[in-house]
Amino acid sequence: METNKPLLKVDNIGIRFGGLRAVSDVNIELFPGEMAGLIGPNGAGKTTFFNMLTGVYVPTEGQILLNGKKLNNLPPYKITRNGISRTFQNIRLFGELSVIDNVKVAYHSQAKHTLFSSILRLPGHFSGEKEMEEKATEFLKIFNLDRFKDEKAKNLPYGQQRRLEIARALAANPKLLLLDEPAAGMNPHETKELMNLIAFIREQFNLTVLLIEHDMPLVMGVCERIYVLDHGQLIAEGTPSEIKNNPKVIEAYLGEEVS
Amino acid sequence: MAIFKQAKHFWTYIVLSLVIFGVIQFMITGQMLNLFYVNTLIFIAINIILAVSLHLIIGITGQFSIGHAGFLAVGAYASGIITMKLELPFAAALLIGGLVAALAGFIIGFPSLRLRGDYLAIATLGFGEIVRIVFLNLDYVGGASGMQVNHLTTWPWVFGCILIAILVIVNFTNSTHGRACISIREDETAADAMGINTTYYKVAAFVIGAFFAGIAGGLYAHNFYIIQPSNFGFLKSFDILIFVVLGGLGSLSGSVIAAVLLTVVSTFLQDYPETRMIIYSIVLIVVMLYRPQGLMGTKEITSIFSKGKRSKGGAKDGNKQTVA
């Protein structure tokens, strides 16, 4: 399956906060079209790892390469423009903006009209805004969110907010999508729907996906490869069935066996 | 279709505001308004410009700036120097006053807006005081006794400036660039993650806000015959901040209404100097108790007229309020 060239190559990455090594020596390679999961106990450094990939934190060691391009030290918005987009563990929508405007914000970096043309309302402004409106409307239809189009994002039900957050991340046109606990707070039915959605977007947008999740059925169900993080270090890597039976993983989750 | 509709609204507002302009101009030339009312009117108008310029920074972009009087002072002194020392026309003075204030805004904004959190509040607070003290000690502009300035500010000038300020800010807000600013206000981390160059937009909004505060400064300077550093103290910054907060953070028409109301209240309270600040404070406390989200919340006046539609910014309603 594996093609020769990885999309994302994380090389010995690590970060210290003062004397604390939150993450160290993590190596991950993701290949185009792959669906991978990142699991680990609470506080293992999963979200910190995501924050390094997206530029929120600057890694103190190692490097991140996307299609061979070095991404460390780039500000978050440039990393997004290079093709890594994410969702957040606790939903971070633009609550006061309407659903469609949330998507339009993600289209912003592809906007053709300048600040100047908007202030003077030059023709470029109108055509640019119109194009954005049409694109965003079409996009919301794919996610069945077009009926909420003009609703404020904060007024959506929880499950729909998750959906919108994923839609918004996709609107930024990523090559790699990072999902941080997308099923958090969802009931089994909503989780099932989410699994379908993830499978669908992967097909539709030809994406590589890395997801953090505590919901094991979900991870085992959709991921082809799983990485396990504990105390900031990668302790295992493999297919779902390999991970399930890996003694190190069981130890990390359930504690050491008494001998 | 939507664009045509929008354009129709746009021209309705423009015509409406020009009618208001004409009526007031007619009343002034016909001497139906005495000098006191004309002065109050101009003062209200200047406060509206200040309120909408700060609205862009705090209400739209969510950056807490508490030194707006500093930009007012920079604009006032810069334009005063242009007309009095260099003897150039008033239009040039206003423009240069705005540009100098915008430059000051860039110098303050660029380093402090790259960071998140309260740095901007602290930097602008310091900036306001530094500006005041610099002018206090600058003999070229008269020091503490102030600088003589000709009376040039008239109703047409003030009206023109309001119109431009509101048009620019509304056009900015109702575009992808304005949405970028609102997304920063709503959640800066998420805005960053969506590919928004947050520093750029924070600085852009801040500089545009400072520019219009500078223009307001030019109008202010040429309305009073004299400008003194004490006019631009810390309390002036807070007056402007109160317009924005009281009107409702994120509502342009709200900040305009608040600017009008509070200016009127404080002007008429001038007859009772002993109780003026007490009554003024009580008004603020009552409003904050009963409408903690501000007079307008995040809504705009136009959204009340076109019910059900999304708000498109309270554009020219601002001018309607100047009649009040």
Side-chain angles (χ1 to χ4, degrees):
Chain A
M1 264 303 274
E2 288 181 356
T3 45
N4 39 17
K5 231 179 126 206
L7 175 73
L8 177 81
K9 189 169 154 64
V10 175
D11 202 8
N12 264 321
I13 202 180
I15 188 167
R16 285 166 192 273
F17 298 110
L20 176 79
R21 285 189 96 172
V23 174
S24 56
D25 305 322
V26 173
N27 289 292
I28 281 182
E29 278 189 351
L30 291 178
F31 292 89
E34 197 177 17
M35 179 98 188
L38 181 64
I39 62 171
N42 287 328
K46 303 182 296 293
T47 298
T48 307
F49 177 69
F50 264 28
N51 282 338
M52 284 193 285
L53 286 186
T54 51
V56 177
Y57 296 148
V58 178
T60 44
E61 51 211 61
Q63 55 179 350
I64 301 161
L65 299 163
L66 188 76
N67 271 338
K69 190 179 171 192
K70 201 173 160 213
L71 293 186
N72 338 19
N73 296 321
L74 284 185
Y77 79 93
K78 281 196 179 152
I79 291 185
T80 306
R81 289 175 187 192
N82 270 299
I84 299 185
S85 181
R86 71 177 292 185
T87 66
F88 295 89
Q89 193 172 347
N90 39 349
I91 300 175
R92 284 175 178 268
L93 288 170
F94 307 124
E96 285 288 332
L97 284 176
S98 66
V99 167
I100 191 164
D101 282 354
N102 267 274
V103 174
K104 282 188 198 167
V105 168
Y107 281 139
H108 174 80
S109 55
Q110 304 154 39
K112 291 181 196 91
H113 52 300
T114 59
L115 183 58
F116 188 70
S117 74
S118 281
I119 286 179
L120 294 183
R121 286 290 189 260
L122 299 178
H125 164 82
F126 292 105
S127 59
E129 291 285 326
K130 193 164 166 249
E131 192 188 322
M132 241 183 205
E133 174 90 24
E134 283 163 0
K135 240 167 97 180
T137 311
E138 279 309 301
F139 196 74
L140 284 175
K141 275 188 191 143
I142 301 178
F143 289 89
N144 264 331
L145 285 165
D146 50 323
R147 63 204 152 114
F148 302 117
K149 203 172 121 188
D150 295 327
E151 201 78 46
K152 274 187 183 175
K154 67 172 184 190
N155 295 337
L156 288 190
Y158 187 82
Q160 303 293 349
Q161 288 196 9
R162 280 271 176 220
R163 222 178 158 83
L164 175 59
E165 209 193 15
I166 294 172
R168 188 184 66 177
L170 284 171
N173 196 18
K175 298 183 193 93
L176 172 63
L177 178 66
L178 307 177
L179 299 172
D180 196 346
E181 294 198 32
M186 285 186 166
N187 62 34
H189 174 72
E190 287 171 326
T191 308
K192 190 92 208 320
E193 242 174 48
L194 180 77
M195 281 169 78
N196 293 338
L197 178 70
I198 293 173
F200 167 75
I201 56 177
R202 194 180 149 214
E203 289 261 307
Q204 180 94 8
F205 297 93
N206 198 12
L207 275 177
T208 312
V209 182
L210 178 62
L211 92 156
I212 293 179
E213 192 47 75
H214 283 299
D215 189 315
M216 284 308 146
L218 178 95
V219 180
M220 299 295 170
V222 299
C223 295
E224 290 147 357
R225 204 139 55 102
I226 294 173
Y227 294 90
V228 189
L229 211 57
D230 189 28
H231 297 298
Q233 277 173 321
L234 215 53
I235 55 167
E237 170 192 348
T239 61
S241 54
E242 282 168 12
I243 293 295
K244 260 185 231 171
N245 302 316
N246 187 318
K248 270 185 169 170
V249 177
I250 296 167
E251 191 188 306
Y253 269 93
L254 301 176
E256 213 168 325
E257 217 173 315
V258 187
S259 53
Chain B
M1 268 304 277
I3 287 168
F4 280 125
K5 222 172 174 182
Q6 228 176 304
K8 207 176 114 198
H9 277 167
F10 173 79
W11 290 111
T12 315
Y13 290 130
I14 289 282
V15 168
L16 203 68
S17 56
L18 287 179
V19 167
I20 290 159
F21 166 74
V23 168
I24 290 179
Q25 181 62 31
F26 176 74
M27 285 164 80
I28 292 171
T29 45
Q31 313 225 310
M32 273 179 262
L33 288 173
N34 70 31
L35 211 59
F36 174 71
Y37 286 112
V38 175
N39 246 328
T40 307
L41 200 65
I42 288 179
F43 198 50
I44 288 173
I46 291 171
N47 278 343
I48 289 177
I49 301 178
L50 287 171
V52 297
S53 65
L54 191 63
H55 153 82
L56 179 64
I57 300 171
I58 296 184
I60 297 297
T61 321
Q63 303 304 307
F64 206 67
S65 163
I66 46 181
H68 220 51
F71 300 118
L72 181 72
V74 169
Y77 274 95
S79 65
I81 289 168
I82 301 290
T83 52
M84 301 311 294
K85 311 268 179 191
L86 307 177
E87 297 179 348
L88 290 171
F90 188 39
L94 286 181
L95 187 65
I96 292 172
L99 289 176
V100 174
L103 180 69
F106 182 78
I107 292 168
I108 297 301
F110 187 66
S112 47
L113 286 168
R114 287 170 64 197
L115 306 166
R116 287 184 197 184
D118 307 325
Y119 299 101
L120 184 74
I122 296 162
T124 49
L125 185 66
F127 167 74
E129 283 303 288
I130 289 167
V131 166
R132 193 176 62 82
I133 288 166
V134 165
F135 287 130
L136 196 63
N137 291 296
L138 215 60
D139 287 332
Y140 182 67
V141 293
S145 57
M147 181 180 177
Q148 296 269 330
V149 186
N150 287 341
H151 178 84
L152 295 169
T153 304
T154 54
W155 170 244
W157 278 111
V158 173
F159 184 85
C161 289
I162 292 196
L163 201 65
I164 293 170
I166 292 182
L167 265 179
V168 167
I169 289 169
V170 168
N171 283 353
F172 180 81
T173 308
N174 292 325
S175 74
T176 185
H177 310 286
R179 274 195 298 276
C181 288
I182 297 174
S183 75
I184 295 170
R185 177 191 77 193
E186 292 293 305
D187 194 320
E188 195 169 340
T189 307
D192 242 335
M194 286 302 112
I196 304 285
N197 186 346
T198 50
T199 306
Y200 174 82
Y201 280 105
K202 284 192 284 183
V203 173
F206 193 70
V207 168
I208 294 173
F211 175 77
F212 285 113
I215 288 194
L219 295 167
Y220 183 86
H222 295 83
N223 192 32
F224 288 105
Y225 298 101
I226 189 159
I227 41 172
Q228 290 170 313
S230 58
N231 299 348
F232 307 104
F234 183 60
L235 281 173
K236 183 73 193 163
S237 293
F238 264 78
D239 278 343
I240 309 167
L241 181 65
I242 288 167
F243 298 150
V244 178
V245 175
L246 196 79
L249 286 173
S251 169
L252 183 127
S253 36
S255 63
V256 171
I257 292 168
V260 174
L261 277 180
L262 291 182
T263 316
V264 169
V265 168
S266 93
T267 307
F268 285 100
L269 285 175
Q270 268 167 6
D271 297 340
Y272 316 99
E274 308 84 16
T275 49
R276 179 173 163 233
M277 284 322 283
I278 299 174
I279 297 176
Y280 192 74
S281 313
I282 289 173
V283 170
L284 294 181
I285 292 169
V286 168
V287 173
M288 281 295 125
L289 276 177
Y290 290 97
R291 286 210 48 99
Q293 73 275 44
L295 291 171
M296 298 291 293
T298 53
K299 290 197 178 63
E300 298 289 356
I301 274 202
T302 41
S303 65
I304 298 171
F305 293 138
S306 54
K307 52 183 185 225
K309 287 268 185 286
R310 273 185 309 138
S311 68
K312 286 285 176 201
K316 267 53 65 184
D317 298 281
N319 305 305
K320 204 170 8 177
Q321 293 304 322
T322 52
V323 199

Short mmCIF file of all heavy atoms in Angstrom, two decimals, chain B residues 15 18 113 134 184 203 230 274 311 318:
data_model
loop_
_atom_site.label_atom_id
_atom_site.label_comp_id
_atom_site.label_asym_id
_atom_site.label_seq_id
_atom_site.Cartn_x
_atom_site.Cartn_y
_atom_site.Cartn_z
N VAL B 15 -28.99 58.81 0.31
CA VAL B 15 -29.94 59.90 0.08
C VAL B 15 -30.51 60.40 1.40
O VAL B 15 -30.56 61.59 1.67
CB VAL B 15 -31.08 59.43 -0.87
CG1 VAL B 15 -32.22 60.44 -0.89
CG2 VAL B 15 -30.52 59.22 -2.27
N LEU B 18 -28.04 62.48 3.14
CA LEU B 18 -27.84 63.79 2.51
C LEU B 18 -29.01 64.72 2.82
O LEU B 18 -28.82 65.93 3.01
CB LEU B 18 -27.68 63.63 0.99
CG LEU B 18 -26.34 63.05 0.56
CD1 LEU B 18 -26.27 62.90 -0.94
CD2 LEU B 18 -25.18 63.91 1.07
N LEU B 113 0.62 44.09 19.08
CA LEU B 113 -0.44 43.22 18.55
C LEU B 113 0.09 41.87 18.09
O LEU B 113 -0.69 40.96 17.82
CB LEU B 113 -1.17 43.92 17.40
CG LEU B 113 -2.11 45.04 17.82
CD1 LEU B 113 -2.56 45.84 16.63
CD2 LEU B 113 -3.31 44.49 18.57
N VAL B 134 4.40 64.54 26.20
CA VAL B 134 5.27 65.11 25.16
C VAL B 134 4.75 66.48 24.73
O VAL B 134 5.50 67.46 24.68
CB VAL B 134 5.37 64.15 23.95
CG1 VAL B 134 5.95 64.87 22.74
CG2 VAL B 134 6.24 62.96 24.30
N ILE B 184 -11.07 36.78 14.65
CA ILE B 184 -10.02 36.99 15.66
C ILE B 184 -10.66 37.32 17.00
O ILE B 184 -10.25 36.82 18.05
CB ILE B 184 -9.05 38.11 15.23
CG1 ILE B 184 -8.29 37.69 13.98
CG2 ILE B 184 -8.08 38.44 16.35
CD1 ILE B 184 -7.50 38.81 13.33
N VAL B 203 -3.38 44.59 13.18
CA VAL B 203 -2.69 45.86 12.92
C VAL B 203 -3.49 46.71 11.94
O VAL B 203 -3.65 47.92 12.14
CB VAL B 203 -1.25 45.61 12.41
CG1 VAL B 203 -0.60 46.90 11.97
CG2 VAL B 203 -0.41 44.95 13.48
N SER B 230 -4.17 68.99 28.27
CA SER B 230 -5.10 68.47 29.28
C SER B 230 -6.44 68.02 28.68
O SER B 230 -7.19 67.30 29.32
CB SER B 230 -5.36 69.53 30.34
OG SER B 230 -5.88 70.69 29.73
N GLU B 274 -21.90 70.53 39.79
CA GLU B 274 -21.64 69.78 41.03
C GLU B 274 -22.08 68.33 40.89
O GLU B 274 -21.43 67.42 41.38
CB GLU B 274 -22.38 70.39 42.23
CG GLU B 274 -22.20 71.88 42.45
CD GLU B 274 -23.13 72.73 41.60
OE1 GLU B 274 -24.12 72.19 41.07
OE2 GLU B 274 -22.85 73.93 41.44
N SER B 311 -27.66 41.12 9.57
CA SER B 311 -27.29 42.53 9.66
C SER B 311 -26.21 42.84 8.64
O SER B 311 -25.29 42.06 8.42
CB SER B 311 -26.80 42.86 11.05
OG SER B 311 -25.58 42.22 11.29
N GLY B 318 -26.17 56.18 11.31
CA GLY B 318 -25.37 57.03 12.17
C GLY B 318 -25.72 58.49 11.95
O GLY B 318 -25.89 59.24 12.91
#
